[in-house]
Amino acid sequence: MRKAASLAIPAWFNAYHPYADHLQFLSDLVTAYPSHAKIVTGGTSIQGKPITGINIFGSSGSGVKPAIIWHANVHAREWITSMTVEYMAYQLLTNYGNSTEIKGYVDKYDFYIFPIVNPDGFIYSQTTNRMWRKNRQSPPSGSSCYGRDINRNWDIHWSDTGGASTNPCDETYKGTAPFDASETRTLAAFQNAKKNSTQGVAMYIDWHSYSQMFFTPYGFDCSLSPPTELLSLAKGFTTSLKAVYGTQYTYGSSCQIIYKTTGSSDDYSYVVTGVKYTFAAELRDTGTYGFVLPANQIYPTGIETWAGVRYLLTNMK
């Protein structure tokens, strides 16, 4: 039987893809670059699916250098996010051998890139409801509404008011308790284990769409200002991104520039896990297409975002 052609080619970024193909893309990348990549599981969905990612590592091998952790497709309908982090994974691996800059990043850090951390919701957004946001958790007692917002379910200021919903039918429903979603509980365990290992965690980014914003902590308190270094890096990210196509991003504390959020992964990563370089992004656009960004914007989104990320990787201490 003839082996199917690899999906890990530039044409991958010309279209959106079903969930099974995303898994195949990661597998094909590992097959193409076995000495610098392997498949990794970062957690488990509420329906029991592994949260599959790719670990990209340099000359020291896997599990040695400080970790960089990226989550995408946290919210099911934000399809551009998985394509964008896959683009960056592709750049890291395909350029390792011919770019001293990229080799420097990969030899310095261990990348753990999870393109779809909400697989159940992502599949539902492809088969049933394109605008689905949450996971697919069963309704709590007394409700018929499915799903938790897995970016309001982390154990950080979860019980505060005003940053999430207590109504199971709302898109920002925070759940009945912190970490009552399998996705958040297991993803937190993964990153905390990395932080508490000899590796540590250097960076965490939570990738979302849309709005063209780049956030530092904090989401739970608008009176708290982020460290100057994080703001400086966020500014550099937006400047580098804009230099490619002129795409304008705003940056700053998420609470101060968009709205209050409680139970978010970036606040948890920064405050609880203790990841110094913690950010969150809202990718293209600003509402013309919103969540349904045309496929012809996958490449430019990937290219400009990668320019911003390269600024971060160069300037992190």
Side-chain angles (χ1 to χ4, degrees), residues 18-167:
Y19 179 65
D21 287 358
H22 281 277
L23 298 182
Q24 191 62 51
F25 171 82
L26 296 180
S27 178
D28 288 347
L29 261 186
V30 170
T31 298
Y33 300 97
S35 57
H36 292 293
K38 67 178 188 178
I39 296 298
V40 63
T41 300
T44 311
S45 78
I46 200 72
Q47 295 178 354
K49 294 181 188 68
I51 297 172
T52 302
I54 188 168
N55 171 209
I56 297 172
F57 48 88
S59 52
S60 300
S62 174
V64 178
K65 297 296 184 177
I68 285 175
I69 299 171
W70 295 341
H71 291 170
N73 255 124
V74 175
H75 293 139
R77 62 195 175 194
E78 298 169 7
W79 294 1
I80 188 61
T81 62
S82 45
M83 298 302 301
T84 299
V85 299
E86 286 169 353
Y87 177 84
M88 294 190 285
Y90 185 81
Q91 295 304 311
L92 288 168
L93 286 168
T94 58
N95 291 302
Y96 180 86
N98 55 36
S99 164
T100 54
E101 177 199 355
I102 305 307
K103 184 177 189 299
Y105 302 148
V106 176
D107 284 346
K108 186 176 182 180
Y109 298 110
D110 223 23
F111 291 80
Y112 296 86
I113 301 172
F114 296 97
I116 302 171
V117 299
N118 180 9
D120 307 335
F122 180 75
I123 292 168
Y124 193 77
S125 77
Q126 294 199 320
T127 61
T128 310
N129 178 357
R130 177 66 182 84
M131 285 295 110
W132 189 256
R133 169 183 168 101
K134 298 183 282 185
N135 74 356
R136 291 296 299 160
Q137 201 150 341
S138 296
S141 177
S143 175
S144 60
C145 293
Y146 277 75
R148 310 287 199 263
D149 181 343
I150 61 170
N151 203 33
R152 301 292 186 278
N153 186 248
W154 294 67
D155 193 3
I156 176 74
H157 288 263
W158 180 89
S159 56
D160 292 7
T161 57
S165 177
T166 56
N167 180 347

